[in-house]
Amino acid sequence: MGKLLEPSQNIERSIMKKYRKELWNPFIKAVKNYELVQENDKIAVCISGGKDSMLMAKLMQLLQRYGDVPFELTFLVMDPGYNEKNRKKIEENAKILNVPITVFETNIFDVANSVDKSPCYLCARMRRGYLYSKAKELGCNKIALGHHFDDVIETTLIGMFYASQLKAMIPKLHSTNFEGMELIRPMYCIHEEDIIAWMNYNGLEFIQCACRFTENYTLNNNEGGMSKRQEIKMLIRQLKKDNPLIDKSIFNSIHAVSLDTMPGYKTHGKTYSFLDNYYNNERSEEQL
């Protein structure tokens, strides 16, 4: 009779075997194609307690164990003011997944919920700053966030529909406020539906968005309607009924932007028009 596996071992096996095609392979694809992990990196894996960041923690842990490139990991949990139930749930899940977390506390929820305008934007900005700061204090040169494939395409469409800009979410970027620090997104090629399938298969339960603003929004019967991201999710779901590959098409399009066809674009903080070089760089319709 074979030896019984620990829960964390069964979870790891599900990643490497049952969901290898859906989770492990696209994870490795992103790490390699976007050059997210280099030798001797010390990466702070930022865990919010949700399904995405918890899976990312396991993927990074497995990459460190089985990969060819040596690097260090710190599993960083920032408590922005969770209630006792959510804090306990994060700690319990970390034990189940065998992820050794480092927890530090902030008052972000108190600050963000004290303002009337854009509390979610302020919360996100503060979270990012605290994570960079703590990671740097611990000697890390990178932070890893759990944004996935669906986040990428939804963010692109939100920018187009509601902010009048064609702006994507890139797989990694240099911090502008913390010198020498980078942000990486190892889940960039993983679909949310596959994360949910993995979670359900293993009988795991993770916290949802745990902020007080969202809790109040829910208690008030979603007064004011759904969020812009929820609207985009529903739109994509509807469009996929006629074109099942439309999400992949959106994703691929941000990898193949043709600036020659754009009437305007921004780079390095400057705005450019197609007229800037129009008369010095004549091209025929056939070339465009």
Side-chain angles (χ1 to χ4, degrees):
M1 188 174 178
K3 182 181 176 181
L4 289 176
L5 298 178
E6 295 291 328
S8 63
Q9 292 175 309
N10 281 319
I11 290 167
E12 290 173 1
R13 174 172 285 191
S14 71
I15 293 171
M16 302 298 288
K17 293 187 178 295
K18 181 173 179 61
Y19 292 100
R20 188 178 188 89
K21 180 181 176 182
E22 294 85 0
L23 300 179
W24 182 252
N25 289 351
F27 165 69
I28 293 300
K29 176 183 177 182
V31 169
K32 290 185 175 179
N33 286 2
Y34 304 127
E35 300 177 358
L36 301 184
V37 178
Q38 276 82 39
E39 187 173 350
N40 298 324
D41 275 344
K42 185 170 182 180
I43 303 170
V45 178
C46 301
I47 300 173
S48 66
K51 66 185 188 317
D52 308 326
S53 61
M54 283 293 194
L55 172 58
M56 176 180 64
K58 286 309 299 181
L59 290 167
M60 293 297 289
Q61 197 177 49
L62 290 168
L63 179 65
Q64 184 186 42
R65 187 185 305 165
Y66 298 117
D68 298 326
V69 176
F71 64 95
E72 296 181 53
L73 290 174
T74 295
F75 299 96
L76 200 57
V77 175
M78 180 193 64
D79 184 343
Y82 292 131
N83 62 39
E84 185 178 344
K85 180 180 178 182
N86 283 326
R87 173 69 177 261
K88 184 178 179 182
K89 190 65 175 176
I90 293 171
E91 293 169 344
E92 288 174 349
N93 280 329
K95 287 182 180 178
I96 292 171
L97 270 64
N98 193 27
V99 172
I101 57 175
T102 298
V103 183
F104 72 103
E105 296 169 356
T106 70
N107 65 340
I108 289 176
F109 283 174
D110 287 335
V111 175
N113 284 281
S114 67
V115 300
D116 295 326
K117 189 176 180 181
S118 304
C120 296
Y121 174 78
L122 177 60
C123 181
R125 292 279 296 182
M126 290 180 69
R127 280 171 179 260
R128 188 77 56 89
Y130 273 110
L131 288 169
Y132 268 126
S133 182
K134 187 64 176 180
K136 192 164 187 177
E137 176 190 318
L138 295 174
C140 298
N141 65 308
K142 292 178 179 177
I143 65 171
L145 300 185
H147 297 123
H148 48 65
F149 177 97
D150 297 73
D151 290 323
V152 176
I153 64 172
E154 289 162 12
T155 298
T156 301
L157 294 186
I158 288 171
M160 290 177 66
F161 293 175
Y162 302 111
S164 301
Q165 59 183 357
L166 185 54
K167 185 177 181 182
M169 178 186 285
I170 57 177
K172 65 178 180 179
L173 64 148
H174 294 287
S175 171
T176 54
N177 299 316
F178 294 86
E179 188 176 352
M181 296 290 292
E182 285 183 82
L183 181 155
I184 61 172
R185 296 182 168 110
M187 307 265 284
Y188 201 81
C189 298
I190 296 177
H191 291 249
E192 185 175 28
E193 64 182 4
D194 295 322
I195 300 172
I196 294 171
W198 166 81
M199 176 184 72
N200 292 337
Y201 175 79
N202 286 287
L204 296 168
E205 293 182 8
F206 300 112
I207 69 169
Q208 304 293 321
C209 179
C211 77
R212 294 168 204 163
F213 179 80
T214 304
E215 287 174 350
N216 291 337
Y217 179 82
T218 302
L219 289 172
N220 290 324
N221 296 317
N222 293 346
E223 260 184 43
M226 67 181 70
S227 71
K228 294 294 183 280
R229 188 167 294 275
Q230 288 173 317
E231 289 179 12
I232 292 296
K233 278 182 181 292
M234 289 186 64
L235 174 63
I236 294 172
R237 193 176 299 127
Q238 185 66 34
L239 292 172
K240 285 186 73 173
K241 292 179 180 179
D242 294 323
N243 180 2
L245 299 179
I246 198 164
D247 54 347
K248 292 181 176 64
S249 182
I250 297 168
F251 184 82
N252 291 338
S253 72
I254 66 172
H255 290 73
V257 176
S258 177
L259 288 182
D260 290 333
T261 67
M262 294 292 178
Y265 64 94
K266 291 181 180 179
T267 182
H268 301 297
K270 292 185 178 181
T271 301
Y272 296 89
S273 166
F274 80 105
L275 289 172
D276 293 337
N277 295 304
Y278 182 76
Y279 298 105
N280 298 325
N281 191 22
E282 293 185 8
R283 307 183 76 175
S284 66
E285 282 187 20
E286 289 75 14
Q287 290 176 294
L288 299 179

